[in-house]
Amino acid sequence: MTRAAPSTAPTRPQATNKIPATLIVGDGIGPEIMDAVTAVLDALGAPFEWDRQHGGLAGIAAAGDPLPPATLDSIRRNELALKGPLATPVGGGFRSVNVRLREEFQLYANLRPAKTLIPGGRFEDIDLILVRENLEGLYVAFEHYIPIGDDPHAVAISSGVNTRDGSRRIIRYAFDQAVKRGRKKVTLVHKANVLKALTGVFLEAGREIAREYQGRITCDDRIVDACAMQLVLNPWQFDVIVTTNLFGDILSDLIAGLVGGLGAAPGANIGDRAAIFEAVHGSAPDIAGKGIANPTALLLAAGLMLDHVGLTDRAGQLRRAIDQVLNQDRTRTGDLGGSASTSDFAQALVQRINSQG
């Protein structure tokens, strides 16, 4: 298997040129928070040339599919996308939009940083990165039932799949991210004491890869349940965590809780030929159209997107503006204890960015 470059970012034009990218507005609060994010990116001078496409419920309305062929073709062509929250209808035979995107573009790495935005909460100075394998594990969903008597679903069986190559790939990605971001330690999270084959192969691959980084990055490991407890008791002992699909799904939301919830949680889905950046929260239809949604998670995802294409200076400018608006101007949406609308928050960020010069 070919080793991915540490950044896995495709070659892009210089910052003075337009960078083509797919824009999927999303459902529910998606249009409101995406308008805020694009306004802030415009203020930054971020040179994205947006190809707007439908997804989720809007995709069904437009083309009868939550992921219309035109949307997939756009991502395939641009290799880069910013995505608002998409709803997958319950019933009707539609598979998860997020799972389909990961599989379609082989987005094997899910990057979920968590950093304290507003001091004074239950946990202070959190600065963690979780790297989740995105394509294997129990989420391959090889499932079936065994009938007994008159109960066709008497026994449910599910099989997980972890490959040595897939484990090596995601663990190497985590170590490369640690090097790139100036981190010191990677923790391998597993359940090899019980799932000796399924997660044992992941642990073995991790120890193998760790030897390549000796002298640069230290490595330890945790059983997943112990890791969950220690994240609550002493999260500052962790730096970069890398784990399998199901464990990563659970721990990433736990880590988001340390910094205030999913409203502060950006996500990046990275593959060798495409990258999709998103807010990991839902579409919140109960508050859609009210102008009160918090766009911070999607803004931070846009920051990861700027990092990915090499515009790290503008990513840093964006993060500084968010910090200033939240903690100096104290302009906050209702979920953060303030009274600002979505557009108020975006305008405050634009003013801060303009004042930075």
Side-chain angles (χ1 to χ4, degrees), residues 10 25 35 57:
V25 169
D35 282 349
L57 300 180

Side-chain angles (χ1 to χ4, degrees), residues 109-131:
N110 181 230
L111 183 68
R112 289 279 298 271
K115 185 176 176 64
T116 298
L117 296 178
I118 300 176
R122 185 176 301 175
F123 296 91
E124 294 278 12
D125 299 321
I126 300 298
D127 189 4
L128 301 174
I129 296 174
L130 186 134
V131 178

Side-chain angles (χ1 to χ4, degrees), residues 193-355:
N193 58 324
V194 175
L195 300 174
K196 296 182 184 296
L198 185 65
T199 66
V201 71
F202 177 86
L203 180 59
E204 290 170 7
R207 289 171 173 167
E208 171 193 332
I209 297 299
R211 288 193 288 271
E212 300 177 16
Y213 294 82
Q214 282 182 350
R216 292 183 291 167
I217 303 293
T218 62
C219 180
D220 62 4
D221 68 87
R222 294 287 191 284
I223 297 170
V224 62
D225 40 322
C227 180
M229 178 186 68
Q230 291 171 18
L231 277 166
V232 175
L233 293 176
N234 179 19
W236 303 278
Q237 68 185 285
F238 297 103
D239 195 359
V240 176
I241 292 172
V242 60
T243 190
T244 53
N245 203 337
L246 173 62
F247 299 160
D249 191 10
I250 296 167
L251 292 180
S252 60
D253 278 19
L254 187 158
I255 291 170
L258 301 178
V259 297
L262 294 180
N269 297 283
I270 309 294
D272 290 334
R273 290 181 293 277
I276 299 176
F277 300 84
E278 62 183 353
V280 299
H281 58 66
S283 59
D286 56 319
I287 62 169
K290 296 181 179 180
I292 61 174
N294 182 359
T296 300
L298 192 58
L299 284 161
L300 292 171
L304 294 176
M305 185 172 172
L306 289 166
D307 286 331
H308 182 75
V309 298
L311 300 177
T312 54
D313 55 338
R314 298 186 194 186
Q317 193 179 0
L318 173 59
R319 294 181 185 113
R320 286 192 300 275
I322 292 171
D323 175 65
Q324 291 165 345
V325 166
L326 289 175
N327 297 308
Q328 295 180 29
D329 304 338
R330 299 187 70 83
T331 300
R332 303 172 183 175
T333 50
D335 59 313
L336 298 178
S339 59
S341 68
T342 309
S343 58
D344 290 339
F345 188 72
Q347 187 56 42
L349 285 168
V350 169
Q351 291 173 358
R352 274 293 184 175
I353 289 166
N354 289 339
S355 71

Side-chain angles (χ1 to χ4, degrees), residues 166-183:
S167 298
R168 286 171 174 156
R169 179 171 63 174
I170 191 63
I171 293 163
R172 183 172 282 114
Y173 177 86
F175 273 90
D176 286 339
Q177 285 293 309
V179 171
K180 180 181 178 181
R181 297 173 183 271
R183 302 297 181 130

